[in-house]
Every structure is written in structure tokens, then in C-alpha cells.
Amino acid sequence: MGALGASKQKESLPLQVEAEFGDLLISYLEQLGVEYVFGVPGGAIEPFYSALARSERRGGPRAVIARHETGAAFMADGYARNTGKLGVCCATTGPGATNLITGVASAYENNIPMLVITAQTALSTFGRGAFQESSCTGTNTVGLFEYCTRYNTLVSHAGQFEAKLVSAIMTAFQSPGGPVHLSVPLDIMRDRALSPKPNYDLLNLLHKPSLVDDVAVDQFYDELVNAKRPVFLIGDEASEAIGSILTLAVDLDARILVTPHGKGLVSPYHPLFRGVIGFAGHQSARDVLCDTDVDLVVAIGATLGEWASDGWDTESLLTTRMIHVESVEENFTRTPMAKLHVRGRLSSIFDRLVDRFEADQRSKIHEVGDRLQQIEEASGAEKILHFQMQDVDGFCSDATPIKPQRLMRELPRIFPPHTRYLADSGGSFTWATHYLHPYDRRIAGKRNGRGGLFRASLEFASMGWAIGSAVGTALAEKGCPVVCITGDGSMLMSGQEITVAIQEKLPVVFVILNDSCYGMVRHGQQLTGAEPIGFELPVIDFATFARSMGAESHIIESPEDLLALDVDAICHREGPTLLDVRIDPDEVPPMGMRAKALKQMV
């Protein structure tokens, strides 16, 4: 994740002599500029919600109420990804805490800084069979969170609360970042703090110097200037440095590839972009890596797990011609064969390289730089893609039912250029990764830019992530349209969270790929020769479902239906819109790599 985000410290607490620990916790969130706490109330966590009510009355952080605790964690994830701030979610004891776990595990696998607050029954009730007890003598929720958090503890005494809270938040922003968990008994949260004001300055404690391995950067620079045909492979953790990375790529005339997670960081119309490598990626990207003239592959902020590494490709990707540049040292364990590992803050490394290269090597900068202004000024119709898609006929098809390839083609054409897209796990992610190409105008980019127009959550790959994360994204990116691309299976799991977007008056557009099946399961079974089982779903009218909750909805069966939408009205509506898109169920997603990997696993 990037920086904490600019924020001004507000008045910490209302004028009161004493404060409960819930008020003190909220005052720390104010230090960090956190605006929302996502969760579901309950008896054991009532003192914290009382503190949130007091906070909201004075304009401080407020509660956003999810319909399921997993949805609350996904919302906090989306908020953190798009602000660089701490995502915060909470739940009551027992089932409230266990319901959070899938969303927290997803954040853990994607290094999302998140504070997770769960309740316990009062300390005096431990071991006595209290209602929803989940202490160490029952269903031990602290134990359950042990394997999906960076810091995890029970606050067993009032004197521990503040120090453990600060330690947890600092750990959330360490490298690698991730969720941290405090389990707080009812009586502790209700207890009076010794001081109504924080004793720690979190912004100061979280300020990190821009550490750089000078020796490695010097070696890196020499490799770059001597490379004849370099390639940049960009992952999602390159977000904070993407402007400088793109500038250096242009200066070097380096071909640009992205991992599935990094897709949203580079304009698909960049003249040097050759597509996505890995799951649902493009043959043109694989061709670049297989080119024997390529003498240097620079992997930047890329975790290089199964989906990002094309199934751990050791022939063309994970080779000795790689240089791996990272701020998260843990990622180096995936590339022991690399010729060089460069550690440090990515923005500092690439700012330094751009300055040095443009001072020393100006005469070597390729003419591609001269074309950038023309490309940036070109309209969408004039832009061209420089990589190969698998099914161009489907991408342009006028057929009914609408083909998912054509749907992905049209979404960036009908929605504004600054629209944020989220793709859920399953076929939604597969189709969007390969065929969705937002009109991102960034070519070289401004330095220290962060974020992108496309988000997905791989690694743990939780179905329904995009539905909750879209709510958090819309709260973080006020004024930007948010399009959530999800499937009918995910909607049946987590569709209740649409009512949060209704309640919060968020103009999120939920695009449902409705094919009455778990599409990735169905097509995966066909591709791998498995028995066809368990993929069928009932025929659902999601448009009626959405209207019953108070959301606007439309049924889309053809390209003409899609193009007839009043998108301007949808984007300016105070509330969500659901598009029930009846896609061609026989279209096979571009998931051949995944099918091949499943066949080879023994």
C-alpha cells in the first residue's frame, strides 16, 4: 500500500472529563484521517458503537453498517486500497468475529493495512458459557485470527489497551502490511481511559524514511543502461511509483507488461504496453517474455504467485535475466534465481533512476517519447491496442445474448474515463482482465501517482469481494463512478451488501454476469476433463431482486440494450444501479493457463 494519505488532525474528543476506551480508539483513527468504521453491531461491542455515535454527532469517524461481517471487511479493504489509509472493521463476539475471517484473510493475502476490532463477553464470564462466548475457553476467536493477521491479541487488562492499539496499527503499516486484530472484552471497552486524549502521535510514529539500497540501485542502473531489449513487469505494489516507472520505461523504450493485480496501473493504450502476463493474460505478453532478444526483465512490486507468474513459469519469466525491485522483502522468496534484488521504497528508487538517466543518457532516449503527447490527446476512437486478445470476433460481436467479451469492450466506452472498475473472483475477473480496457490517459504519468482504474483481489480470491469493496471504494473515491463486475454466484453469496450502497446513497453500478451457473467451475470442468457437477444455478431475475431493495435496475440482453442506457443519469444518481446482463453461457473464459496448471498438479 501507499502512504497514509494526507489528513489534518481534528479535535480528538468532545469536551468531556472522561472517555471510554471506544472514544480513545476513535481519537486515534482521527489522527490518521480515517472516516469510516465498517461492521455489524451486537451486544458485546455496543460500547464501541456508542462511541461511534458520539463521534458521528461531532463530525468524526462514523459507522457504516454492513449486512454481513465479511462484507464489512471487504468494504474496509476497498477503502484502504483507494485512500492509502487504515481500513477499519469490527464485529461482536462469537459468530460476528468468525464471520469476519474470510474478509480479513483476503486482506492478509493482499497486504492491506486493516484494523480489526472484535468483542468478547465480559472477562468475568469467561468459561461460564456466556451467550456467544468466544474466549480462550470456548470457540477461541483470537486463536482463529492467528493465521490471517500480522498482529493478534486479547486486551485482558485496561492498562494494555492503548499500548496494544498503537502496536497493532504500527504493525499494520509495516512491510509487509496487513490486517491486525484486537479482541476487546465488553467490560474493557466500557472502562474509563486514564486520559481522554491519545498519549502517542501515530502520524509521527508511522512516518518512514525512504530507505534505499544504494549499492543495489547503482548496479540496477548499470544493468538498465546496458540492456539492449529490457522489459518492465509491473505489479500492484508499484502503485506509489507508477509515474516514475512509466517515465523510465519510455526513456529506455522498455516493453511494459503487468501482472493481473497490476493491470489498472498502466494505460492499455500505452505504445509500449504488451498486455497482462499470467492468468487470463495475453499471448502478446507471453511472446515478449519468450523473445530471445530480451536480455533484462525488471519485475517491480510483483508478488509473483501462481496467477501472476503464469503458473510459476521457469522457462521465460522466473529466470536469471530478472531483476526484482521490491519494498516488501518477503516477495524476494519467489525469485531466488534473479540476478539482482533491489530493496527500498519504490518511489525513491525510480525517482532517483529517472533523474540520473535523464541527466546522463538523454541522447539515448528513444523517439517514442515524442509520440506521447499525441497519444494522450487522442480520443478513445483513435486509440489502438498494441497487444493481442484471444477472441477479437467475440469482442466485436453483435450477437444476442450479449457475449461477455463485447460487454467488456463497451463498458469503458459508455462510462466516464475516471470510472473505477472492480472485478470479482471467477469468470468476472477472467473476462475483465483479458477484455476490459479502460481509457486511462496516463502514459508517462506524474510522479508519485498512486492507484489505478482496475482492481481485483487474487491470491485468496474470495467470491463477493468486489461487491463489498465497491462500497468502500465509492466512499473513498467520492465523485468517481464505480463499476462492480461480478457474477450471479457471487451475487447470491453477497448481494445483500447492495443495500449498504442504497443506504449510503452511493452511485455504484453492479454489473451481474448472469449465466445461471458457476461459470468458471463449469468451463474449468470441461477444460480439464472433470465430471460436470455442481455448477448449475437457478434462473434468477436480478433486476427484480434489485428493485425489491430499492435500487434501479435494467436487464441487458444485447449490445443495443447496453448502449441505450442513460449512463449520465446512472452516474449522477444518489444510489446504486444494477445491470442484470444475460451473457452467452457457452462462451469459454480465457482460463487455459489455470486449467493447464490444475491438470499438472499432483
Side-chain angles (χ1 to χ4, degrees), residues 37-41 49 62-67 75 497 500 503-504:
V37 174
F38 303 92
V40 178
Y49 273 91
R62 68 175 178 89
V64 173
I65 308 303
R67 307 301 174 246
M75 292 173 198
E497 304 303 342
V500 182
Q503 194 169 3
E504 295 289 333

Side-chain angles (χ1 to χ4, degrees), residues 25 29 37-38 45 48 69 72-73 76 86-91 96-97 100-101 103-105 107-108 112-119 145 148-153 165 168-169 172 178-184 189:
L25 192 163
L29 301 184
V37 174
F38 303 92
I45 202 167
F48 185 42
E69 288 85 357
L86 185 69
V88 185
C89 58
C90 65
L100 273 175
I101 289 177
V104 173
Y108 179 81
I112 306 299
M114 182 183 293
L115 175 63
V116 182
I117 303 293
T118 66
F145 277 100
C148 60
T149 54
R150 306 289 181 195
Y151 181 99
N152 176 49
T153 188
L165 173 64
I169 293 174
V180 294
H181 173 231
L182 293 183
S183 181
V184 188
M189 187 67 82

Side-chain angles (χ1 to χ4, degrees), residues 420-424 466-467 470 482-486 508-512:
R420 266 59 177 174
Y421 297 90
L422 296 91
D424 229 330
I467 299 172
V482 176
V483 173
C484 169
I485 303 168
T486 189
V508 180
V509 182
F510 295 94
V511 178
I512 315 302

Side-chain angles (χ1 to χ4, degrees), residues 29 36 84 217 225 230 382 423 552 586-587 592 597:
L29 301 184
Y36 308 103
V217 171
V225 297
E382 295 169 329
E552 182 178 330
D586 295 324
E587 288 296 305

Side-chain angles (χ1 to χ4, degrees), residues 17-28:
V17 177
E18 294 181 308
E20 295 181 357
F21 279 117
D23 298 296
L24 183 59
L25 192 163
I26 289 169
S27 70
Y28 274 108

Side-chain angles (χ1 to χ4, degrees), residues 10 41 91 113 135 140 146 217 222 244 285 287 345-346 370 375 434 443 490-491 504 518 530 542 553-555 568 594:
K10 302 177 183 178
S135 69
N140 186 353
E146 179 67 28
V217 171
D222 290 339
S244 295
D287 291 343
R345 184 170 180 178
L346 297 183
D370 298 333
I375 294 167
H434 198 90
I443 302 295
S490 292
M491 181 57 58
E504 295 289 333
Y518 292 118
F542 288 102
S553 64
H554 303 272
I555 293 176
D568 184 66
R594 173 62 175 164

